[in-house]
Amino acid sequence: MTQRVVVVKCGGAAGIDEARVCRDVAALVAAGDRVVLVHGGSAAIGDLAGRLGVPLRELVSPGEVTARHTDPATMEIVLLALLGKVKGEILAELGRVGVRAVGLSGLDAGLIRARRKKALRAVIDGRTVVVRDDHSGRIASLDGGLLTTLLDAGLVPVISPPAVAEDGRPVNVNADRVAARAAAELRADVLIMLTAAPGVLADPADEGSLLTDFRLPGEGGTPGHVKGGMAAKLIAAGEALAAGVELVVIADGRAERPALSALAGAGTRVHPPVDLPADRPAPAAPRRRTVPPTQELSPRNR
């Protein structure tokens, strides 16, 4: 029997229970799946920055996609939070539920390589400006062979930013796009992106307006009502689908069984544009599903 490859992206927003995600990873592994867990850490980054007195900024692109402004001080916070706190907590929890896991960042053995962004365009006070002090990059490669070696050994890779740039120094990259690239390199069957929302919402202010199916626009980009962190997730979903990943789900990381619920039908199934690729069956028309109210929606669904 062929083993299913499942990539799970655990968002780092407040309210997402990493222990529940780890419990679901254990269940998937016990069922015979090969699992890669990708994590962010926005809440931990914000908490540590506040304790150390480091101000954080977000940049909003002209397309209204939100990204962290990673200046030198923020880069240090990202390294400390992701590698020194979040990853260790996830690995400890996976060990507690009986999962043998290995923690890697993009810096380990050059797992994730990126091209450093020389400048970013951002909208500040209504004007589009160029930001040049940002330590972020675009993913150039991800070593799927290394992940396959770990999976073949019966291990669960737990991976995260940062990546390594051309000069050998760390750069921040979007964790959703790391998950999409990992899924593409592994030819994964499923990519699950867990966030602090029920899925893609028709009305971002109404958690009851869940879209159970979402067709990506054919012209690229994201619809005007989808902004911020969710827009970044849809971009990543599109990259995974274009690479041949069969199923991409954006689902609620605050649920009792977040990954298992996503596989059972919760959240939003994201579909490729009608013209890419042409041989994929068209899903039913987008449906809205009423969901029970949960805690207040986080401003950063990562």
Side-chain angles (χ1 to χ4, degrees):
M1 180 173 135
T2 303
Q3 291 179 301
R4 185 172 56 173
V5 177
V6 180
V7 176
V8 179
K9 161 59 186 357
C10 178
I16 295 178
D17 190 334
E18 294 166 356
R20 294 176 180 175
V21 177
C22 291
R23 183 176 59 177
D24 279 4
V25 168
L28 293 171
V29 171
D33 291 325
R34 292 156 64 89
V35 183
V36 174
L37 180 59
V38 182
H39 70 85
S42 58
I45 291 169
D47 178 66
L48 182 59
R51 288 160 57 192
L52 296 179
V54 176
L56 296 179
R57 289 176 58 201
E58 288 187 340
L59 299 177
V60 180
S61 74
E64 298 190 88
V65 177
T66 302
R68 186 178 303 284
H69 179 215
T70 313
D71 59 17
T74 302
M75 187 75 247
E76 291 187 46
I77 297 294
V78 169
L79 289 167
L80 288 169
L82 293 186
L83 309 188
K85 184 178 189 298
V86 178
K87 195 179 303 295
E89 291 175 347
I90 290 175
L91 290 170
E93 187 60 31
L94 286 171
R96 193 185 71 79
V97 295
V99 175
R100 297 174 63 228
V102 175
L104 299 170
S105 77
L107 304 175
D108 293 297
L111 173 64
I112 309 168
R113 296 190 178 275
R115 291 183 292 273
R116 186 184 295 274
K117 296 177 183 177
K118 294 181 172 56
L120 296 173
R121 293 173 67 238
V123 178
I124 299 177
D125 296 330
R127 296 187 304 116
T128 299
V129 301
V130 176
V131 179
R132 299 187 184 277
D133 66 338
D134 191 73
H135 290 248
S136 63
R138 291 185 174 87
I139 298 172
S141 65
L142 186 147
D143 190 351
L146 176 55
L147 298 182
T148 298
T149 298
L150 296 171
L151 291 169
D152 288 345
L155 301 169
V156 171
V158 178
I159 68 175
S160 73
V164 60
E166 305 94 325
D167 58 4
R169 297 180 181 277
V171 289
N172 197 15
V173 290
N174 181 274
D176 294 317
R177 298 179 87 168
V178 168
R181 190 60 175 263
E185 293 293 335
L186 293 170
R187 299 180 180 177
D189 300 282
V190 185
L191 168 61
I192 302 169
M193 292 191 282
L194 299 173
T195 185
V200 181
L201 304 177
D203 177 359
D206 178 9
E207 289 204 2
S209 66
L210 175 67
L211 297 173
T212 58
D213 290 277
F214 185 89
R215 172 78 70 183
L216 292 169
E219 67 276 9
T222 57
H225 76 280
V226 180
K227 299 179 175 62
M230 188 59 74
K233 283 175 173 54
L234 288 174
I235 290 171
E239 292 169 349
L241 290 166
V245 177
E246 288 297 321
L247 175 62
V248 177
V249 185
I250 300 175
D252 200 336
R254 304 165 299 179
E256 182 67 27
R257 302 305 299 261
L260 297 186
S261 296
L263 289 171
T268 302
R269 269 142 179 76
V270 183
H271 304 279
V274 291
D275 57 345
L276 178 66
D279 59 345
R280 290 184 185 270
R287 307 183 305 275
R288 288 178 58 158
R289 179 172 65 212
T290 301
V291 295
T294 56
Q295 65 188 74
E296 183 179 354
L297 186 61
S298 169
R300 288 182 59 89
N301 297 328
R302 298 183 188 176

